[in-house]
Amino acid sequence: MVTAKSARVRQYLMCRPAYFTVEYAINPWMDTTTPVDTERAVDQWENLVSVLRGHGHTVHELRPEAGLPDMVFAANGGFVVDDAVYGAKFRFPQRQAEAAAHEKWYRDAEWTFTTPTETNEGEGDFAYVPGPGLILAGYGFRTDPRGHAEAGESLKRPVISLKLTDPRFYHLDTALTVLDDDTIAYYPHAFSLSSQAVLRQLFPDAVVADEADAMAFGLNTVSDDRHVYINTEATGMADKLAARGYEPIAVDLSELKKGGGSVKCCIAELRG
């Protein structure tokens, strides 16, 4: 019997893709020879915002800046747990100026902010599981594992380090998502064998995705404990979630996928 799910109202930070384009390639999804329709990307983003607000969630907006085309991927700019923010320090120079914009927003909003000394890409490589109070932290491509310890100290939570091994899933949020207080979904083969073993032990009831789910960005999702906002292409993953009692809400972000991101990449959760 599938247990009925209850949604919980959330607060999110997002950034309009006003300057979105693919001017450089820093992940396998980015192709500078593929045309990008910025106007369409904005329309798709606005629809996502409308869907979130339509389900009762609050969306705050970070002002986009010219010359920073990846600012739309707001999840990468910080990691928030219980009013405390561990800031980002981007690996690639093309994105490094984004960190200051995020820090200013959080400080202006009077969040408790820690400026990092270690390379990390915010919620791109950090996920919070509220039930056990655990931080799941990815490394292998972007975030330095030394940033895991720094995040744990900053946010006063235990951290589980997970090694990513497939460059297609360069951030943790492309290979793993938190569905509710105690449940995650993940694609095992994005991780090292030892990390797979850790995930099996910690989350024996996880929703296990296959390669097709992951390639369709079916793990780059946001959940409010009931509704799971998911890329329209990820129909197989949507079926898996529905079978577990969640309600998938399909959102088309095909234009933003050209930059290597989907729903989760666009959303930083503000856990106040």
Side-chain angles (χ1 to χ4, degrees), residues 121 135 153 208:
E121 299 201 349
I135 295 171
E153 287 293 320
V208 178

Side-chain angles (χ1 to χ4, degrees), residues 240-258:
K240 291 180 175 72
L241 294 170
R244 293 287 289 267
Y246 300 96
E247 184 179 338
I249 307 294
V251 183
D252 180 12
L253 291 179
S254 54
E255 205 63 28
L256 292 173
K257 186 181 175 184
K258 295 174 181 177

Side-chain angles (χ1 to χ4, degrees), residues 39-68:
E39 184 176 348
R40 184 168 183 239
V42 171
D43 288 343
Q44 291 178 345
W45 181 90
E46 288 180 341
N47 178 62
L48 173 60
V49 171
S50 178
V51 168
L52 293 169
R53 288 176 172 160
H55 283 91
H57 305 300
T58 299
V59 176
H60 303 270
E61 292 192 36
L62 175 68
R63 183 177 62 84
E65 296 184 15
L68 298 175

Side-chain angles (χ1 to χ4, degrees), residues 161-199:
S161 294
L162 302 167
K163 185 176 182 179
L164 296 161
T165 57
D166 187 328
R168 296 174 300 176
F169 310 112
Y170 59 95
H171 272 156
L172 183 70
D173 70 3
T174 64
L176 181 149
T177 188
V178 178
L179 297 171
D180 57 38
D181 282 357
D182 300 289
T183 311
I184 70 166
Y186 71 103
Y187 172 49
H189 297 295
F191 299 91
S192 68
L193 292 176
S194 58
S195 292
Q196 290 178 42
V198 168
L199 288 168

Side-chain angles (χ1 to χ4, degrees), residues 60-260:
H60 303 270
E61 292 192 36
L62 175 68
R63 183 177 62 84
E65 296 184 15
L68 298 175
D70 281 342
M71 273 189 77
V72 62
F73 301 128
N76 304 154
F79 178 49
V80 184
V81 178
D82 291 348
D83 295 317
V85 187
Y86 176 59
K89 184 178 179 182
F90 289 85
R91 177 166 297 280
F92 289 101
Q94 294 94 330
R95 299 198 66 185
Q96 287 171 358
E98 295 178 40
H102 283 267
E103 179 168 354
K104 183 179 187 305
W105 188 92
Y106 284 112
R107 290 193 184 279
D108 287 350
E110 300 185 340
W111 290 79
T112 301
F113 191 93
T114 298
T115 303
T117 62
E118 304 295 345
T119 299
N120 82 88
E121 299 201 349
E123 280 197 320
D125 274 325
F126 291 111
Y128 185 59
V129 190
L134 280 179
I135 295 171
L136 303 181
Y139 72 99
F141 298 105
R142 297 292 184 87
T143 294
D144 190 311
R146 291 174 295 187
H148 297 180
E150 191 173 61
E153 287 293 320
S154 171
L155 302 173
K156 300 177 177 60
R157 293 291 189 280
V159 180
I160 303 297
S161 294
L162 302 167
K163 185 176 182 179
L164 296 161
T165 57
D166 187 328
R168 296 174 300 176
F169 310 112
Y170 59 95
H171 272 156
L172 183 70
D173 70 3
T174 64
L176 181 149
T177 188
V178 178
L179 297 171
D180 57 38
D181 282 357
D182 300 289
T183 311
I184 70 166
Y186 71 103
Y187 172 49
H189 297 295
F191 299 91
S192 68
L193 292 176
S194 58
S195 292
Q196 290 178 42
V198 168
L199 288 168
R200 285 195 301 270
Q201 182 175 355
L202 289 175
F203 302 101
D205 296 323
V207 178
V208 178
D210 60 26
E211 184 177 26
D213 298 327
M215 289 293 289
F217 279 65
L219 292 162
N220 197 245
T221 67
V222 167
S223 174
D224 62 19
D225 293 358
R226 176 184 176 183
H227 309 103
V228 182
Y229 307 94
I230 187 170
N231 182 35
T232 51
E233 297 174 30
T235 54
M237 191 66 203
D239 290 344
K240 291 180 175 72
L241 294 170
R244 293 287 289 267
Y246 300 96
E247 184 179 338
I249 307 294
V251 183
D252 180 12
L253 291 179
S254 54
E255 205 63 28
L256 292 173
K257 186 181 175 184
K258 295 174 181 177

